[in-house]
Amino acid sequence: MAFKFLVWPLLGTLVTALPSNLVPREAMVPPPEPADLTPACWKNLSCSFHEIEDMNMDTRLEFVRYMEDVHFGKLNSANQFRPIEGVITFFIDENLGSPGSWVSYVDAGIVEAIQRGGAIALDLGTFDGGNPGSPKWNTFLTELKNGELGDRNVSEAAGRVKDKANTRRALVGP
């Protein structure tokens, strides 16, 4: 048993010290990278209202967190969406918001506006999806990026105006 613990590390060192033509090929080839399964519309912030509305609430929460983690740090706003996360978490906990429901439509309108406004603020496109909240989120996120909204109370008041527009979009429809 002691032999195994003493010799095995030495053999591993020996294999790495051997000339490449003596090392088995499978030892030299690194394992493949795991496939990136992130939807393309998440990467370029281009999900349609219907794509967002078709997401279950768990996926939608994951999407909001993805936007925060991957995109919105560049806008100094990676921490602005905890209330949105909280609402979606409530929907999950209470089993509300199945795709096709009124709750899902309202929430999808809000998430779409945030996404489209963020895409515009990040210069990933100009399409606002016809969502009246998108230009408002663009303005808000651009002002955050430029350091114009240092006071959290100012940014939260601006957010309430956008939320009203987002909700109106969901009630009237895309």
Side-chain angles (χ1 to χ4, degrees):
M1 194 68 136
F3 176 76
K4 179 179 177 184
F5 291 110
L6 293 174
V7 174
W8 187 249
L10 295 174
L11 288 176
T13 304
L14 180 62
V15 167
T16 57
L18 288 174
S20 61
N21 62 340
L22 298 177
V23 177
R25 179 154 178 75
E26 58 274 358
M28 295 180 0
V29 177
E33 290 291 321
D36 183 3
L37 301 177
T38 306
C41 72
W42 290 25
K43 292 177 183 179
N44 58 19
L45 297 178
S46 66
C47 297
S48 70
F49 173 85
H50 296 291
E51 287 173 308
I52 296 168
E53 201 282 318
D54 283 343
M55 295 176 193
N56 65 39
M57 286 294 167
D58 289 314
T59 302
R60 207 173 295 178
L61 179 60
E62 184 181 346
F63 178 45
V64 169
R65 289 178 174 161
Y66 176 88
M67 290 190 291
E68 291 170 318
D69 294 343
V70 174
H71 296 290
F72 292 157
K74 300 168 196 155
L75 301 172
N76 299 320
S77 61
N79 65 346
Q80 292 292 313
F81 304 98
R82 300 300 185 254
I84 302 295
E85 287 184 41
V87 169
I88 295 172
T89 300
F90 172 79
F91 293 153
I92 293 167
D93 291 347
E94 298 301 319
N95 200 26
L96 298 170
S98 298
S101 69
W102 179 85
V103 168
S104 181
Y105 276 99
V106 171
D107 187 68
I110 293 168
V111 173
E112 179 198 31
I114 293 168
Q115 173 209 229
R116 299 282 186 185
I120 296 166
L122 289 164
D123 295 320
L124 295 176
T126 58
F127 182 60
D128 66 10
N131 188 320
S134 299
K136 296 175 189 318
W137 276 106
N138 171 40
T139 299
F140 172 70
L141 294 168
T142 299
E143 289 173 354
L144 276 174
K145 177 176 71 173
N146 296 335
E148 298 169 17
L149 295 176
D151 182 348
R152 179 80 185 208
N153 292 327
V154 171
S155 63
E156 286 181 2
R160 284 191 292 276
V161 171
K162 289 179 289 306
D163 287 342
K164 288 179 185 175
N166 301 338
T167 303
R168 196 170 318 128
R169 152 86 164 161
L171 294 174
V172 173

